[in-house]
Amino acid sequence: MEGLTPKQIVEKLDQYIIGQEKAKRAVAVALRNRLRRIQLPEEIRDEVAPKNILMIGPTGVGKTEIARRLAKLVNAPFIKVEATKYTEVGYVGRDVESMVRDLMAVGFNNVKKEMEESLRKESEPKVEERLLDLLLPGSGEDGAAKDDGGNKPVVSAETREKFRAMLRSGSLEEREVEVSVKKSRGAPSMGIIAGGSLDDIQSGMMDIQDMLSGKNVKKRFVSVREARKIISEEVLDSMIDADKVSDIARERVEQSGIIFIDEIDKIATKNESSGGQVSREGVQRDILPIVEGSKVNTKFGVVDTTHILFIAAGAFSLSAPSDLIPELQGRFPLRVELESLTKSDFRRILLEPKNALTKQYTALLETEGVKISFTDDAIERMSFLAEDVNAKSENIGARRLHTIMEKVLEDISFDADEHSGETITVDAGYVDEKLTGVVQDQDLSRYIL
């Protein structure tokens, strides 16, 4: 994040997301404020709370995409969760504190990867020696290991050096060796101690049983190439101080962590109450202390959520932000409304982003030697149809383009092997040929498009 101004953040988001300038600006300012707060004097820093954001808009207009791109853009712990997967305390399912435990796990893994990269050069000699031990079981690092009887070197130092040269040249990459592989699923779940969900507790108990029974280690025959990866991970693990990683990760999570809560409108409740709505209100009340700031037990230590930035999003098609409990509304002071996509937006989505659909399909079919050329009137026609179908049936935003593109190119994709070396032009006539019948039949378009 250092060096990225709000304007530059928006420019980077513009490479993938069309429109929605208000949402991009709000997110960019919120991210920049994280850096500004960290640079404040300590006595002021703790008083500056993050300004959480609530993004409101129909499905398919870019809410989740903004979050996904932020994850790649910012060098900070980030997770995206769905509000609907959590249950009120006392019900079977995931408790809301698990989102903080998940964020802490992401932060731990990020810091661990950074440390591994910094130590990778230093670990290479140790990995090489262990590979030579596997290739030459009778020798040690000095080539002077003894046989079972006792005195003679089984493999000479000269032979070991020859194998070392072969190993470095890559000529032994496909040779198979036997390695011991840990079937570790990570440390036992904190859910056993910290009151996690039933799944967390069961997973943790299985991990402990495996460790006690020795079932978490097994021998496998793998290529030297694969063995190098396995041994490298083990060597790096032994070189890294897990406590230090936890401390750094916890500091990052507390000071610059971001949690994106999607589908928050699905837990909003109307005034009238029923069993399901009471449960949804319970989830809101459970989320509230985490957003306000509380201490959550994780297997990496206690995490304070006071300065974690929360971005919530929802379509609010069947409910309104005012249907959330007042306390939770107050914890999301920044409201941003995302706009429905128009024909011109669809046109830009098809052409401008780095991952534009037309570029994706062109690249996919080029792998089989088929070149696809989209004419301007074809782009215009598909953009019009996306807007038209969204207006006449459910508005699913840019996702409608995925359906239209797939339907238009279905036959070409199916018979691609028969068209290798050809250039196929997709124009408005071709689009109409594939879609007009479906679009005109209202009932049919509801299912197919």
Side-chain angles (χ1 to χ4, degrees):
M1 274 299 299
E2 288 187 23
L4 278 181
T5 65
K7 188 178 294 184
Q8 290 170 330
I9 295 170
V10 170
E11 286 172 359
K12 287 189 176 292
L13 292 174
D14 282 341
Q15 295 176 7
Y16 298 96
I17 302 153
I18 297 300
Q20 313 305 355
E21 296 305 317
K22 292 179 183 177
K24 291 176 189 173
R25 285 172 65 94
V27 167
V29 170
L31 291 180
R32 185 65 177 181
N33 279 339
R34 314 309 304 281
L35 182 61
R36 291 167 178 159
R37 191 187 75 81
I38 291 171
Q39 294 173 341
L40 290 173
E42 195 168 335
E43 62 271 15
I44 304 176
R45 188 188 310 156
D46 290 339
E47 300 300 321
V48 179
K51 304 301 185 288
N52 298 322
I53 301 169
L54 177 62
M55 293 198 289
I56 305 162
T59 185
V61 297
K63 300 187 300 295
T64 305
E65 186 68 5
I66 287 173
R68 193 164 71 88
R69 292 299 163 186
L70 281 178
K72 296 184 177 181
L73 179 61
V74 300
N75 186 24
F78 178 101
I79 58 163
K80 172 185 173 292
V81 299
E82 280 77 37
T84 50
K85 76 177 182 181
Y86 299 105
T87 61
E88 184 180 357
V89 170
Y91 288 76
V92 175
R94 300 205 74 188
D95 63 286
V96 294
E97 287 188 349
S98 65
M99 70 174 70
V100 181
R101 292 196 285 270
D102 291 343
L103 180 66
M104 186 60 205
V106 169
F108 181 89
N109 289 334
N110 288 347
V111 174
K112 186 180 176 187
K113 283 179 184 176
E114 289 173 15
M115 286 195 173
E116 284 177 349
E117 287 305 312
S118 67
L119 292 170
R120 195 167 295 281
K121 195 90 175 165
E122 187 181 333
S123 71
E124 288 174 359
K126 296 180 181 179
V127 174
E128 184 177 77
E129 294 302 337
R130 286 186 55 178
L131 282 172
L132 288 170
D133 290 343
L134 293 176
L135 289 163
L136 303 166
S139 73
E141 290 186 18
D142 59 356
K146 313 299 182 184
D147 64 8
D148 294 337
N151 296 318
K152 293 182 181 178
V154 178
V155 178
S156 68
E158 185 181 350
T159 302
R160 190 177 178 90
E161 290 307 312
K162 285 182 180 177
F163 269 75
R164 189 190 305 277
M166 293 165 65
L167 189 61
R168 290 177 177 177
S169 70
S171 57
L172 298 177
E173 291 298 287
E174 302 307 320
R175 180 173 294 197
E176 288 201 339
V177 292
E178 187 180 34
V179 294
S180 296
V181 182
K182 291 182 180 179
K183 298 189 294 180
S184 174
R185 291 175 294 201
S189 172
M190 190 65 192
I192 299 175
I193 305 165
S197 69
L198 184 61
D199 286 343
D200 290 335
I201 294 171
Q202 289 175 339
S203 176
M205 291 300 294
M206 288 173 65
D207 288 338
I208 291 173
Q209 288 172 359
D210 283 352
M211 284 191 291
L212 293 176
S213 64
K215 289 181 180 177
N216 63 329
V217 178
K218 69 173 183 178
K219 291 186 179 290
R220 286 175 54 198
F221 280 97
V222 298
S223 67
V224 167
R225 180 183 285 106
E226 186 66 24
R228 183 181 286 104
K229 295 176 186 175
I230 295 168
I231 294 170
S232 181
E233 287 179 12
E234 292 178 1
V235 170
L236 287 168
D237 271 343
S238 68
M239 296 173 70
I240 289 173
D241 182 348
D243 290 336
K244 183 179 179 182
V245 174
S246 295
D247 291 343
I248 296 172
R250 188 164 59 251
E251 177 72 13
R252 281 195 193 175
V253 166
E254 290 180 346
Q255 300 303 323
S256 59
I258 303 170
I259 296 180
F260 182 89
I261 306 176
D262 204 3
E263 309 288 0
I264 200 166
D265 58 312
K266 303 299 189 297
I267 60 169
T269 57
K270 299 285 187 182
N271 291 331
E272 64 272 10
S273 64
S274 67
Q277 288 172 333
V278 170
S279 176
R280 292 200 293 272
E281 185 174 320
V283 174
Q284 293 183 58
R285 295 195 182 280
D286 288 346
I287 290 176
L288 183 61
I290 293 176
V291 179
E292 285 183 330
S294 61
K295 289 179 168 56
V296 177
N297 285 323
T298 75
K299 64 184 178 184
F300 306 105
V302 178
V303 175
D304 186 346
T305 66
T306 303
H307 296 290
I308 292 175
L309 175 65
F310 290 85
I311 302 174
F316 290 99
S317 53
L318 301 176
S319 59
S322 58
D323 292 324
L324 295 168
I325 61 174
E327 300 91 332
L328 192 59
Q329 292 181 49
R331 295 308 298 176
F332 289 90
L334 299 184
R335 305 283 177 88
V336 182
E337 189 166 355
L338 285 83
E339 301 160 357
S340 295
L341 299 174
T342 63
K343 174 185 168 184
S344 61
D345 292 327
F346 288 128
R347 178 182 175 82
R348 292 181 62 199
I349 289 169
L350 284 172
L351 295 174
E352 293 181 19
K354 280 191 173 182
N355 62 336
L357 281 178
T358 50
K359 297 174 185 176
Q360 291 181 31
Y361 278 96
T362 300
L364 282 171
L365 289 167
E366 276 182 356
T367 62
E368 300 204 40
V370 180
K371 289 188 177 181
I372 297 291
S373 173
F374 293 93
T375 64
D376 193 64
D377 60 348
I379 300 295
E380 194 74 14
R381 185 65 178 155
M382 288 189 287
S383 303
F384 167 78
L385 290 174
E387 182 183 51
D388 187 53
V389 176
N390 274 346
K392 291 179 180 175
S393 58
E394 291 296 324
N395 184 359
I396 60 173
R399 294 186 179 95
R400 186 72 66 188
L401 287 175
H402 290 264
T403 313
I404 288 175
M405 287 285 289
E406 194 64 37
K407 192 69 182 170
V408 167
L409 298 177
E410 183 179 26
D411 291 341
I412 298 173
S413 297
F414 188 83
D415 298 322
D417 57 312
E418 299 175 10
H419 298 284
S420 182
E422 297 180 18
T423 297
I424 298 175
T425 300
V426 176
D427 55 17
Y430 188 92
V431 173
D432 284 340
E433 180 188 336
K434 300 297 179 184
L435 293 181
T436 300
V438 177
V439 173
Q440 288 174 350
D441 188 328
Q442 294 280 327
D443 293 330
L444 191 59
S445 68
R446 189 172 300 172
Y447 292 103
I448 294 180
L449 294 181

